[in-house]
Amino acid sequence: MLSMRKGFGLATLLAGMTAVAGCSSVSQNPDMPRGAAAYDVIPATVEAPTAYTIDPADTLSVNVFGEPDLTFETLRVDDAGFIQYPLVGQIKAAGTTPAELSLQLANVLGQKYLVDPQVTVSVVEAAPRYVSVEGEVNKPGVYEVDYDTTLLSAVARAESPTDTAKLSEVIIFRTIDGQRMAGRFNLKDIRGGISPDPIVKDGDVVMVGYSGPRAFWQSFLKAAPALNAFSLIATR
């Protein structure tokens, strides 16, 4: 009788842990690129920029030689990528280099207002770049990144995957030309040097998947002391 009670209790506890592990699973998209196809969407490397490209929220300085009214120590690029400049009005800055914007301003000012204007644009402060890391990491959140930050580095900033993470289901979401794209990566292969470590970019979202089987065994191990205590009681 005690043996039956012991078996029933163990089965009930295991069934409960299985149910808990299963209820947190995440829907998977079978069409999401993985393996080599994922790296076609999210490249493993990016070329180091030969010249800085202005981004929204950057802070610029604009100097027009001999024209203090047209010279600004700080001029912020708005979120749409434009600056407001006297005489010129709204002009697109994001996506250009400082040298290109200098030439653009000089051309407009030279056509209408000044003779051979000498314009120099500099980046005073670059806007921070952020990546969101979500899912099965110890500290989900939004983290600042550089142009060469990799997936491993981004996950490390979130204090690494949890014990219940599914390392073969790590997804990077990225907006490319206005379209939401994604690729699925195997963090274990990347850690082992089998697969390249992809670069993450400003605005990316990293999602670390959940492993039901790993969660089950974690729950089982945590419950082991309780199971041992139950066994002792049941056999008395």
Side-chain angles (χ1 to χ4, degrees):
M1 181 64 176
L2 290 177
S3 176
M4 291 177 62
R5 287 173 55 195
K6 176 183 175 182
F8 176 76
L10 178 61
T12 302
L13 184 57
L14 291 176
M17 289 190 295
T18 303
V20 170
C23 69
S24 299
S25 60
V26 181
S27 298
Q28 299 295 335
N29 179 1
D31 297 325
M32 184 175 294
R34 65 165 68 229
Y39 289 97
D40 290 338
V41 179
I42 313 290
T45 58
V46 293
E47 293 183 5
T50 56
Y52 183 84
T53 300
I54 297 169
D55 284 330
D58 280 355
T59 301
L60 311 177
S61 70
V62 180
N63 182 277
V64 181
F65 181 75
E67 299 291 339
D69 292 339
L70 296 176
T71 295
F72 298 87
E73 291 185 2
T74 59
L75 195 62
R76 186 180 181 276
V77 183
D78 67 24
D79 292 339
F82 292 87
I83 59 171
Q84 297 291 334
Y85 192 77
L87 303 179
V88 177
Q90 181 172 272
I91 187 168
K92 184 77 169 182
T96 68
T97 66
E100 290 169 342
L101 184 58
S102 299
L103 182 59
Q104 191 175 355
L105 288 171
N107 286 338
V108 175
L109 292 173
Q111 288 175 3
K112 297 182 179 180
Y113 307 106
L114 302 175
V115 177
D116 192 24
Q118 303 300 305
V119 181
T120 302
V121 175
S122 302
V123 178
V124 176
E125 183 176 1
R129 292 156 172 76
Y130 296 102
V131 166
S132 298
V133 185
E134 303 176 7
E136 293 300 306
V137 289
N138 286 297
K139 192 175 180 181
V142 178
Y143 295 92
E144 189 170 347
V145 296
D146 300 318
Y147 80 93
D148 57 353
T149 299
T150 65
L151 175 59
L152 277 180
S153 298
V155 173
R157 293 180 192 191
E159 299 187 2
S160 300
T162 65
D163 291 337
T164 57
K166 189 173 185 179
L167 299 183
S168 62
E169 297 287 348
V170 179
I171 301 169
I172 300 177
F173 294 94
R174 177 174 300 171
T175 301
I176 303 174
D177 296 330
Q179 184 177 358
R180 192 70 160 172
M181 307 291 286
R184 181 184 290 124
F185 299 89
N186 189 318
L187 203 64
K188 186 176 181 179
D189 286 350
I190 294 171
R191 283 175 169 175
I194 298 172
S195 298
D197 191 7
I199 297 291
V200 294
K201 292 186 175 183
D202 182 38
D204 282 358
V205 176
V206 176
M207 176 66 70
V208 179
Y210 175 87
S211 172
R214 293 187 71 178
F216 169 80
W217 286 112
Q218 287 297 321
S219 299
F220 181 84
L221 292 174
K222 289 177 182 178
L227 290 174
N228 291 336
F230 180 84
S231 298
L232 288 173
I233 294 171
T235 54
R236 286 178 181 174

